[in-house]
Amino acid sequence: MLSYRHSFHAGNHADVLKHTVQSLIISALKEKDKPFLYLDTHAGAGRYLLNSEHAERTGEYVEGIARIWQQSHTPAELAPYLQAVRDLNPSGQLKYYPGSPLIARHLLREQDQLQLTELHPSDYPLLRGEFQKDLRAIVARGDGYQQLKAKLPPPSRRGLILIDPPYEIKTDYQAVVQGIAEGYKRFSTGVYALWYPVVLRQQIKRMIADLKDTGIRRILQIELAVKPDSDQRGMTASGMIVINPPWKLEQQMKSVLPWLHEQLVPQGIGHTLVEWIVPE
Ligand code: SAM
C-alpha cells in the first residue's frame, strides 16, 4: 500500500489546524521546566518543498498556510506555529513547509525528546536526514502504532503523542482507537492528539463512538470544515481529537478558529467546532 505522500497536501487547511493545535499543546507543556517526550507515530518527511511537482500539482497550500503566514495582525494563539513556518523561510518567500516533526523541533527545548516513526521508504530517509545532528531525536522506520506500546510511558512521565495516519486503509479508523487505548493503558496522563479527515461523516461518528467505548475521559474535539459534509469523494473537513488537553486549549481554539475559518474559507461555507466528546 503506502501510496499516500504528504508532499501533495503539505500546508493545506488540515495542516494549519493540526499544527496550530500541536504547537499550542507543546507551548503549554513548556510552562513547566520538567522535560517531556514528543512522540509522532506517523511523522512524514519532516520538510516539504512547496514548489515541488507534488505540491504544485494540487496547490493545496495556496488555500492554507499561504493565506495567513505573512499577515501582520494574526491572533496570538498562532504565534508559535507561524514562527516555525517563518523561521524555515527566512527569505520571506514561502518555499518550505515544516511538517509536525520540524514544528516540534523548533519548539522543543534542550531537555525534551523526540521519538519519530515513519514507514514510507522514500519519506523515512528524508526525515532521518533532517534529524541527523539533533541529539534529542530518535528516528525509526517502522509501524507507528507499535510505538504506543513500546515507548510509553516515557521516563519523564510527561508527553504529547501525535497520531496522524493517512487513513488510506479503512482499518486506520479502528487502529487509531486501539492504539490510543494501548497507549493510555500505559500512560494515562499523556496528552494524545489524533488527527482525522472528514471524507464520510459516518466513519468519524463510528470512530468517536469507539473512542467513547474505551472509557477514556477528558476528550476534546476540534474541527474545521471548509465545505459542508458530502457523500462525494474528497475531504470536506478535518479535526483533532485531544485527550487530556492542556486547560487553556479549549478557550484558545474557540478564540482562534473563527478567525482561521474566515481566512481559509472566505466564501463562508463549512463550520468550526470545539466540543467535549467526554468531559472530566
Ligand atoms: N505528521 C505529519 C505532519 O503533520 O507533517 C504528516 C504525516 S502523513 C499525514 C502520514 C504519514 O504516515 C505518511 O508519511 C505515511 O508514509 C506514514 N505511514 C503510513 N502508515 C504508517 C505506519 N503504519 N506507521 C508509520 N507511518 C506510517
Side-chain angles (χ1 to χ4, degrees):
M1 198 74 181
L2 283 181
S3 52
Y4 179 92
R5 304 296 302 279
H6 196 64
S7 41
F8 287 103
H9 310 290
N12 69 1
H13 62 85
D15 265 5
V16 171
L17 176 70
K18 181 203 312 172
H19 297 144
T20 298
V21 172
Q22 178 200 3
S23 61
L24 286 171
I25 296 172
I26 292 177
S27 300
L29 284 167
K30 281 165 50 179
E31 284 173 10
K32 288 190 186 147
D33 285 341
K34 230 183 138 208
F36 62 87
L37 171 72
Y38 170 75
L39 191 157
D40 201 326
T41 58
H42 297 70
R47 174 193 302 252
Y48 301 95
L49 183 62
L50 292 176
N51 62 11
S52 70
E53 192 221 325
H54 285 188
E56 289 293 7
R57 197 169 338 149
T58 60
E60 291 186 17
Y61 73 93
V62 176
E63 294 181 351
I65 186 63
R67 290 216 162 129
I68 57 170
W69 84 293
Q70 267 179 328
Q71 289 201 28
S72 41
H73 299 291
T74 47
E77 290 83 0
L78 293 177
Y81 164 51
L82 292 182
Q83 199 52 49
V85 178
R86 289 181 190 135
D87 282 1
L88 204 58
N89 296 283
S91 71
Q93 297 288 327
L94 187 57
K95 187 170 176 201
Y96 296 113
Y97 185 76
S100 51
L102 260 60
I103 288 177
R105 178 173 76 188
H106 177 82
L107 295 173
L108 262 56
R109 307 158 300 183
E110 217 179 296
Q111 66 264 42
D112 304 321
Q113 293 211 306
L114 299 94
Q115 174 78 45
L116 313 168
T117 309
E118 172 55 45
L119 195 55
H120 199 286
S122 307
D123 285 344
Y124 167 71
L126 297 173
L127 182 67
R128 196 189 44 195
E130 284 289 342
F131 283 88
Q132 221 147 32
K133 292 192 184 133
D134 193 330
L135 297 175
R136 302 169 303 175
I138 298 176
V139 184
R141 176 154 188 229
D143 177 21
Y145 296 118
Q146 288 305 321
Q147 306 291 328
L148 298 167
K149 294 188 202 165
K151 301 294 175 193
L152 298 179
S156 61
R157 294 291 198 279
R158 302 183 71 218
L160 165 62
I161 295 102
L162 179 70
I163 304 165
D164 182 20
Y167 296 91
E168 62 180 336
I169 39 176
K170 284 213 179 78
T171 48
D172 267 337
Y173 292 95
Q174 286 99 52
V176 291
V177 176
Q178 229 172 342
I180 287 174
E182 290 284 357
Y184 193 87
K185 234 177 6 197
R186 292 161 174 80
F187 181 38
S188 63
T189 52
V191 182
Y192 294 79
L194 167 67
W195 180 82
Y196 66 86
V198 180
V199 179
L200 291 175
R201 177 62 68 179
Q202 208 46 39
Q203 286 168 323
I204 301 308
K205 284 192 174 159
R206 208 170 308 133
M207 186 182 80
I208 288 177
D210 289 347
L211 201 53
K212 277 185 177 168
D213 285 346
T214 62
I216 295 173
R217 303 201 65 80
R218 298 200 70 227
I219 310 181
L220 185 69
Q221 180 181 14
I222 299 162
E223 188 171 291
L224 172 64
V226 299
K227 291 179 191 159
D229 286 0
S230 159
D231 291 339
Q232 308 298 311
R233 267 183 69 84
M235 177 171 71
T236 58
S238 72
M240 292 289 274
I241 290 176
V242 185
I243 298 171
N244 295 328
W247 67 273
K248 280 187 285 194
L249 188 68
E250 176 187 7
Q251 212 39 58
Q252 288 172 317
M253 290 312 297
K254 278 185 173 159
S255 148
V256 75
L257 259 189
W259 185 89
L260 273 180
H261 187 234
E262 215 176 288
Q263 307 304 310
L264 301 182
V265 199
Q267 316 87 295
I269 51 173
H271 63 257
T272 64
L273 173 152
V274 181
E275 222 169 67
W276 289 95
I277 293 173
V278 185
E280 282 293 343

